[in-house]
Amino acid sequence: MKRITIAIDGHSSCGKSTMAKDLARDLGYIYVDTGAMYRSVTLYAMRHHLFGGNDEMDIDEDALRSQMDNISITFRLNAETGHPDTYLNGECVETDIRAMDVSSRVSIIAALPFVREAMVAQQQQMGKDGGIVMDGRDIGTVVFPDAELKVFVTASAEVRAQRRYDELKSKGMEADYDDILRNVQERDYIDSHRAVSPLRQADDALLLDNSHMTIAEQKQWLLEKAGELM
């Protein structure tokens, strides 16, 4: 059976990671959460006090650029969940990178050309032999423009904010729906208007609006589309 490359792009909080993880597990493929990679760089910058100045959203680009070689991001399978966890320099940061303070800054980090260059190089190396499912913002347009299956996922901002709110509350974390909705809308704007690799649907990508779909329905849809190409 042919082993293909599957690129899943789309807006924040659309459930891309969940569907990509499940699809990879069902197909016996490798899963890479590219959003977690940018979140990990953001967490590193926060921990090393690279945000600050006159605005807590300001990033010291020169300092971060000089430290990129010190940032190692890897994924290890969690035996309990059956999904990979994200590790930053050997430390599991899967929970830390999902916090709102990281979410509010990640689009700033992801827009930096030197960060994207470093992450894209790592992603392309991970997926050079196929048999991979990768989700993010520019997988079908930049990382794997020749991927056999490209999917662009979207949902209304309100639905995505509610999903994010429910996720944080289920983990026992503080959450405010209005703050999350503003964050989702701000990230949409930044992701779609950045100069380098802006979020957009590839011409040959299939559109999946999952605003009113169950996880089971999404899973069946993806498996059918992948099966047609394998």
Side-chain angles (χ1 to χ4, degrees), residues 131-184:
I132 193 165
V133 181
M134 194 173 290
D135 75 282
R137 301 290 194 280
D138 60 354
I139 311 306
T141 55
V142 176
V143 182
F144 293 119
D146 297 323
E148 289 88 347
L149 176 59
K150 301 177 185 178
V151 178
F152 189 87
V153 189
T154 190
S156 71
E158 290 76 15
V159 166
R160 289 182 282 139
Q162 187 64 52
R163 289 173 179 169
R164 183 68 176 146
Y165 174 85
D166 292 342
E167 177 188 9
L168 292 172
K169 295 298 286 186
S170 70
K171 294 179 179 178
M173 302 172 70
E174 291 295 322
D176 180 274
Y177 173 81
D178 291 334
D179 287 344
I180 294 172
L181 179 58
R182 281 192 294 271
N183 175 247
V184 166

Side-chain angles (χ1 to χ4, degrees), residues 45-99:
M46 292 168 58
R47 288 180 170 180
H48 288 78
H49 311 292
L50 302 185
F51 283 97
N54 296 324
D55 187 332
E56 64 177 9
M57 293 299 179
D58 283 345
I59 178 69
D60 187 335
E61 293 185 28
D62 290 338
L64 179 59
R65 182 185 290 107
S66 70
Q67 296 180 46
M68 285 303 296
D69 288 343
N70 299 330
I71 301 175
S72 172
I73 301 166
T74 55
F75 297 93
R76 302 179 194 172
L77 185 66
N78 183 317
E80 293 185 2
T81 65
H83 293 148
D85 286 337
T86 310
Y87 283 74
L88 172 61
N89 294 333
E91 175 195 353
C92 182
V93 293
E94 187 63 33
T95 298
D96 292 347
I97 62 175
R98 308 297 173 183

